[in-house]
Amino acid sequence: MRHLRVRTPNHFAERIAIAAAALALAWNTPCIAQPQTADQAWLGYRELAVKPEVPGAVASLYRRARSGPGALPQNASDEVLEGAASAQLQSGLMGMLREGPKLVNSGPRIVLVGTRAEFGALYPMIKIPELGPESFWIGTSQTGGGEWDILVAGGDGRGVLYGAFELLRRVSQQQAVRRIDLIETPAMPIRWVDEWDNADGSIERGYAGRSIFFDAGHVRDELHPAAEYARLLASVGINGCNLNNVNNAAAFLEPDMLKGIARIADAMRPWGVRVALSVDIASPQKIGGLKTYDPLDPAVIAWWRAKTGEIYKLIPDFAGFTVKADSEGQPGPASYGRTPADAANLLANALAPHRGVVLYRAFVYNHHLDWKDPKADRARAAYDIFHPLDGKFASNVIVQTKEGPIDFQAQEPVSPLFGGLERTNQAMEVQITQEYTGQQRHLVYLAPMWKWVLDFDLRTENRSTPVKEILAGKSFHRPLGGMIGVAGVGQDAWLGSPLALANLYAFGRLAWDPNLTAEQIAEEWTRQTLGNDPQVVRTVEAMLMQSWPVYVHYTGPLGMQTLTDITGSHYGPNIEASENNGWGQWHRADHEGVGMDRSVATGTGFVGQYWPEVAKVYENVSTTPDDLLTFFHHVPYTWKLHDNKTVIQYIYDSHYEGANEAAHLGEEWATLKGKIDPSIFDNMQRRLTYQAGHAIVWRDAIVQYFLKLSGIPDATGRAGHYPNRYEAEKANLFHYSVIDVKPWEDASGGKAVSCTYEDPGAIELSQVPAGPTFEGNIRSCTAEWKFTGKPGRYDVAVQYFDLRGGSAYWTFLLNYANPESWVGNADLPTNHPHGDNSTRHIIHNVLLEDEDTLEIRGFPDKADPAALDYIELLPASRPVS
Ligand code: GCV
């Protein structure tokens, strides 16, 4: 029983509670009230301000080319794809131009779509260049009287579809198409997205809600979103979708599940997207009832052959299997002393008669490494295991290698394995879903990172072999190769954040043409998604282009990777999480210095996996580029970088600059108010405001950690000094208790306060804060400070912990009046106060005078104890309204 003195008869508590409930509602309003469509991404086809001249009708040649003498043979696939192409052109052009075009059978003034063979049969006088599979040509022809047609010819049905999307892409960017004459061929045949969806509808490393494919152990009944996803993928030339998580894959080969997968294949087929499945190499044992899954066992071989036959009966164009084996607890051929090639070829042989392929992941490593062994190195694993197998894989196997040797870090070198498999088909796996790069809560446009990898010249055999040419099969004359993007789309507007969709778009565009620039792609995407207003295009392109370096600056610069909680959420800062465990994501920071020595001369020898011209650069600490320095070398904090700055000073500067740059992203976005779709504007503004606050959490965690570890002060005096910060643990506290935050660097000064009291019982009046407290069943805790600074207007930043498992809320009061409340239910990782959930709320323009009382009241809810780190007074950033 509590006995608190009631000082406010005016239902103050209820008012706050109602305000908080309204806030909760606003934040939680799902973004999926509308049916999920591709229009919500970049295929909106909104009316253009400047309308390029385009013929007024669309016709497909398919039917006409199959009637009458000399008719072409039926081709069901082309019929479907050309139907999709012409319908898409019609609705897209209609949306953008507002009038016409109609679907008709013939011209004049028409956009004609068909395969090259169809054009040849009907219009032999038109000279169309040779076109391979999936390629297209777009040209024009004069039809007299100043009239003209646009011709979209494909090497096959997919080519027609891709040509149609290219034409729409140009029109949507207001480009003139009057004299268009363009041939395009995809650079690489394998252009897939991988989804890590589980049968229960959750998504591993997905940050946009639940699966669009699965729920409660089954394929969903409603698959319209799957079809819309395929439309989105087709618009950027993606031709495959691997549907399920590489972990927990066995259940996907059960007969009932396969029937559901066939429905997904039906939904995606009209858009030229073939489905594939991740498979568990132990399936013959796990679901097949065999005693073994040894890849060389005849019963196992027969099981896979039969299972594959069963799949192709249901899905005749099934694309193939993806395999994660002997990795992070997944079973693999090593259990029987067999190699990845044995396992890959087992599946490849079963798929070959059906023309399916195996994507065998090179992400194979021991996660129980001995961290005390200076020679142990996870980065070495893929090359050590796969390079000796070069030439041993069947012709329909593609080895799928992550772009860097560790695991999708904010910054890593290129995997040397790309240069180590000359007689093997290769694909590169990148991550669209932002596991280590801010989980879509932070804006990080990844195309510049991928471009850097694609353009990286591995100098195989001392000749030019950029990664993009290896993947295209050019460098080593391989028939198959490509790019795989782990997408993680879900029910929340595909990727949650509107601007994160630029990554899905960029992935497809780069897989199609790795010579496009990241800027070009950013501009294309912005124009299609947000409109052609020059200020919008300029601003968003600039924001996208800055965002990756900005994120690196405040997370893991100098090749330290992402200094995150690698044994937890992979989101907020936790510097020691990488150390003293077998996962091998070590940065080896100690009192003297930081970095892993991977040199051949004195380190793990990883550098020796590169061809000599590249190895020479990384072997030597002085020639290693600064941005990868600590990935390759352990250097003292006093080591001078190429601009003469010390490593420790760079760490301080980079984090302060990064946090400022993150704040600037939000300011840039704010200039677009009224110029773009208001719902996108508001959504991104909320995310960018959050990001600016979280960048400060990152900054402070890393700076205070390295300050303590190195003992070297920041030359500019910022590190460890927060002059306008009022710590919660030093406040006058009522009911709040002081706690140690783990890891310590995730809270200012390592401590916070938490409102975890159960029932304080009777308390003395002298203990009750001056000002209102509450009766009834509303629990709260209070932290109170006296303002002692220079009187004036300030922004009050409140740093609080928004935990899972409840919707706590906080109220700021000045002199016990003018409450401002906000709720913490942003669905952040981790259920204890941590850098994952440390969040900033700003109260603007507070007029403070000497001896004013600043107060934060925390209202815990369920498992969320309304924890608080500090408040900080900042110069007022907005004019008084
Ligand atoms: C699918 C990382 C991720 C895992 C993922 C794994 C992989 O370790 O954290 O969630 O598992 O990569 O790529 O297999």
Side-chain angles (χ1 to χ4, degrees):
M1 179 66 186
R2 287 182 296 153
H3 300 282
L4 297 184
R5 195 170 48 169
V6 181
R7 296 193 184 188
T8 44
N10 59 354
H11 306 298
F12 178 78
E14 284 79 357
R15 279 195 290 124
I16 293 177
I18 290 163
L23 278 169
L25 195 67
W27 185 266
N28 277 333
T29 303
C31 312
I32 48 164
Q34 314 259 329
Q36 192 165 6
T37 68
D39 306 17
Q40 290 153 355
W42 54 87
L43 296 184
Y45 298 132
R46 279 171 295 275
E47 184 174 6
L48 297 172
V50 177
K51 299 188 174 71
E53 202 195 339
V54 182
V58 179
S60 155
L61 299 183
Y62 183 84
R63 277 186 198 290
R64 281 202 292 137
R66 277 158 188 87
S67 59
L72 294 178
Q74 299 292 324
N75 182 325
S77 162
D78 284 355
E79 180 172 17
V80 170
L81 294 167
E82 284 175 44
S86 43
Q88 187 66 23
L89 269 171
Q90 197 243 340
S91 63
L93 292 175
M94 177 82 93
M96 292 187 285
L97 309 174
R98 279 296 170 241
E99 55 198 36
K102 303 170 190 51
L103 273 183
V104 296
N105 285 328
S106 58
R109 277 185 64 67
I110 196 165
V111 181
L112 275 178
V113 301
T115 59
R116 184 172 184 275
E118 289 160 7
F119 274 100
L122 294 171
Y123 302 103
M125 71 299 279
I126 302 177
K127 294 286 161 249
I128 296 185
E130 284 297 326
L131 294 172
E134 303 191 306
S135 307
F136 61 81
W137 170 75
I138 309 178
T140 56
S141 79
Q142 216 54 48
T143 52
E147 302 286 21
W148 55 287
D149 299 332
I150 293 187
L151 316 174
V152 179
D156 56 10
R158 271 206 193 86
V160 177
L161 185 62
Y162 299 148
F165 276 116
E166 178 61 34
L167 182 59
L168 287 167
R169 183 161 29 246
R170 289 181 176 236
V171 174
S172 66
Q173 295 176 71
Q174 303 182 153
Q175 292 173 13
V177 289
R178 178 72 181 82
R179 290 183 207 293
I180 189 166
D181 182 3
L182 170 82
I183 298 189
E184 290 212 9
T185 300
M188 36 193 108
I190 306 276
R191 305 180 304 280
W192 289 12
V193 283
D194 278 8
E195 311 298 332
W196 287 349
D197 292 24
N198 296 311
D200 66 2
S202 61
I203 303 178
E204 178 143 351
R205 310 301 174 191
Y207 309 104
R210 290 178 58 78
S211 169
I212 61 169
F213 301 111
F214 306 103
D215 188 35
H218 304 285
V219 170
R220 288 182 182 276
D221 292 337
E222 172 53 57
L223 288 175
H224 184 66
E228 284 294 289
Y229 184 38
R231 177 157 74 101
L232 207 47
L233 297 177
S235 75
V236 284
I238 294 170
N239 59 9
C241 179
N242 193 91
L243 297 169
N244 60 313
N245 191 357
V246 285
N247 302 328
N248 309 316
F252 288 82
L253 293 182
E254 297 281 14
D256 274 354
M257 184 60 109
L258 288 175
K259 285 187 198 129
I261 302 287
R263 288 199 296 111
I264 300 177
D266 292 345
M268 301 186 97
R269 186 173 296 113
W271 303 101
V273 177
R274 296 164 73 196
V275 303
L277 286 177
S278 300
V279 293
D280 183 332
I281 204 71
S283 300
Q285 191 182 66
K286 285 189 180 165
I287 63 164
L290 301 188
K291 290 208 167 57
T292 175
Y293 58 92
D294 179 350
L296 301 191
D297 186 287
V300 170
I301 295 169
W303 189 89
W304 279 109
R305 201 168 282 151
K307 185 50 82 178
T308 308
E310 184 187 333
I311 296 173
Y312 277 90
K313 265 206 194 94
L314 292 163
I315 312 169
D317 58 353
F318 182 69
F321 295 141
T322 299
V323 188
K324 172 177 179 177
D326 289 322
S327 168
E328 299 185 335
Q330 295 304 307
S335 308
Y336 298 93
R338 312 295 186 202
T339 69
D342 295 329
N345 295 345
L346 160 78
L347 302 175
N349 293 339
L351 287 160
H354 311 281
R355 303 162 64 92
V357 295
V358 178
L359 275 295
Y360 200 97
R361 299 177 83 224
F363 187 64
V364 180
Y365 71 101
N366 169 11
H367 67 278
H368 298 290
L369 285 174
D370 177 3
W371 64 92
K372 289 182 239 73
D373 176 0
K375 296 289 176 196
D377 187 359
R378 167 171 166 181
R380 291 189 59 114
Y383 189 99
D384 283 348
I385 295 166
F386 283 81
H387 173 66
L389 299 174
D390 191 18
K392 299 211 162 69
F393 291 94
S395 61
N396 57 335
V397 173
I398 300 126
V399 169
Q400 175 174 325
T401 305
K402 291 191 183 187
E403 93 271 5
I406 297 289
D407 191 3
F408 302 135
Q409 300 300 288
Q411 191 161 32
E412 284 185 63
V414 172
S415 171
L417 185 58
F418 295 119
L421 293 178
E422 295 180 56
R423 288 170 295 140
T424 303
N425 301 318
Q426 297 200 64
M428 175 166 81
E429 179 178 324
V430 299
Q431 222 183 20
I432 298 162
T433 187
Q434 294 172 230
E435 177 182 354
Y436 282 98
T437 50
Q439 304 190 351
Q440 275 108 283
R441 298 182 191 97
H442 292 232
L443 173 66
V444 183
Y445 174 55
L446 292 160
M449 179 207 272
W450 300 335
K451 262 305 274 185
W452 177 76
V453 177
L454 286 164
D455 289 345
F456 192 91
D457 191 348
L458 285 157
R459 306 292 305 162
T460 311
E461 293 157 349
N462 302 336
R463 64 188 170 91
S464 169
T465 52
V467 171
K468 61 189 171 191
E469 292 191 7
I470 295 173
L471 303 178
K474 287 187 191 158
S475 301
F476 309 138
H477 310 292
R478 300 301 315 172
L480 286 174
M483 279 176 72
I484 310 289
V486 179
V489 297
Q491 289 186 319
D492 177 6
W494 305 112
L495 285 175
S497 159
L499 261 59
L501 281 163
N503 288 326
L504 181 58
Y505 182 86
F507 166 76
R509 297 292 285 142
L510 285 173
W512 181 273
D513 180 1
N515 288 318
L516 292 170
T517 67
E519 290 89 340
Q520 250 172 296
I521 297 171
E523 179 179 340
E524 278 182 7
W525 178 83
T526 306
R527 286 180 181 278
Q528 291 169 79
T529 312
L530 300 171
N532 287 293
D533 177 322
Q535 189 200 334
V536 172
V537 175
R538 227 181 15 252
T539 307
V540 177
E541 185 190 325
M543 287 175 64
L544 291 171
M545 289 305 296
Q546 295 156 47
S547 60
W548 172 50
V550 167
Y551 187 77
V552 171
H553 290 163
Y554 64 77
T555 56
L558 300 177
M560 290 194 273
Q561 307 160 68
T562 317
L563 293 172
T564 188
D565 198 341
I566 70 125
T567 52
S569 62
H570 300 184
Y571 183 57
N574 187 347
I575 297 145
E576 286 174 9
S578 305
E579 300 305 301
N580 302 328
N581 60 47
W583 289 96
Q585 287 186 221
W586 308 317
H587 48 66
R588 304 267 199 226
D590 58 25
H591 178 56
E592 304 295 333
V594 56
M596 272 281 285
D597 183 356
R598 293 187 155 106
S599 68
V600 174
T602 55
T604 67
F606 167 73
V607 169
Q609 295 182 341
Y610 292 96
W611 283 85
E613 286 179 60
V614 176
K616 198 169 146 213
V617 174
Y618 291 147
E619 177 70 11
N620 186 326
V621 64
S622 323
T623 52
T624 301
D626 289 342
D627 59 5
L628 290 175
L629 179 66
T630 70
F631 192 92
F632 288 108
H633 300 281
H634 187 81
V635 288
Y637 292 115
T638 50
W639 176 263
K640 296 265 182 66
L641 300 172
H642 287 103
D643 66 357
N644 235 16
K645 189 179 273 191
T646 61
V647 163
I648 192 69
Q649 194 56 43
Y650 185 90
I651 292 175
Y652 298 143
D653 290 353
S654 158
H655 286 86
Y656 274 92
E657 278 159 23
N660 289 344
E661 290 160 348
H664 187 57
L665 290 175
E667 289 158 15
E668 287 176 84
W669 185 254
T671 64
L672 303 182
K673 193 171 176 67
K675 291 186 171 286
I676 57 176
D677 178 334
S679 68
I680 297 182
F681 179 83
D682 292 346
N683 186 335
M684 276 316 299
Q685 191 173 46
R686 202 176 63 227
R687 288 170 190 275
L688 290 163
T689 303
Y690 164 79
Q691 178 179 353
H694 201 231
I696 293 171
V697 175
W698 269 98
R699 177 196 78 187
D700 290 354
I702 293 179
V703 164
Q704 66 175 342
Y705 181 89
F706 281 99
L707 176 65
K708 187 166 174 184
L709 191 66
S710 70
I712 302 174
D714 171 8
T716 65
R718 297 156 304 185
H721 297 115
Y722 309 103
N724 289 322
R725 197 169 276 191
Y726 293 63
E727 296 290 347
E729 62 273 22
K730 295 189 183 146
N732 209 4
L733 296 176
F734 301 94
H735 306 313
Y736 261 130
S737 15
V738 176
I739 54 163
D740 288 327
V741 171
K742 293 194 180 80
W744 68 269
E745 69 270 18
D746 282 8
S748 189
K751 292 193 186 301
V753 298
S754 175
C755 187
T756 42
Y757 78 98
E758 284 304 319
D759 184 343
I763 56 170
E764 294 297 316
L765 274 190
S766 62
Q767 288 180 279
V768 177
T773 54
F774 314 122
E775 63 176 342
N777 56 5
I778 296 180
R779 290 193 296 147
S780 71
C781 296
T782 304
E784 197 183 278
W785 303 264
K786 279 275 173 247
F787 173 67
T788 53
K790 187 166 165 242
R793 288 200 174 271
Y794 290 89
D795 286 350
V796 180
V798 183
Q799 201 69 34
Y800 64 100
F801 296 93
D802 181 355
L803 267 58
R804 301 187 85 84
S807 297
Y809 61 98
W810 292 258
T811 300
F812 168 76
L813 297 114
L814 176 63
N815 298 326
Y816 313 111
N818 299 324
E820 176 170 326
S821 299
W822 66 97
V823 69
N825 58 1
D827 195 21
L828 297 161
T830 309
N831 55 7
H832 59 90
H834 187 281
D836 283 350
N837 45 49
S838 178
T839 307
R840 182 167 271 230
H841 177 84
I842 297 186
I843 298 123
H844 290 278
N845 253 319
V846 181
L847 182 60
L848 294 179
E849 292 178 4
D850 207 20
E851 290 294 301
D852 274 351
T853 303
L854 302 157
E855 184 184 332
I856 300 290
R857 246 167 229 184
F859 297 80
D861 177 53
K862 301 187 200 104
D864 184 346
L868 184 67
D869 191 355
Y870 61 83
I871 63 169
E872 185 161 88
L873 304 183
L874 309 168
S877 61
R878 291 182 188 168
V880 186
S881 55

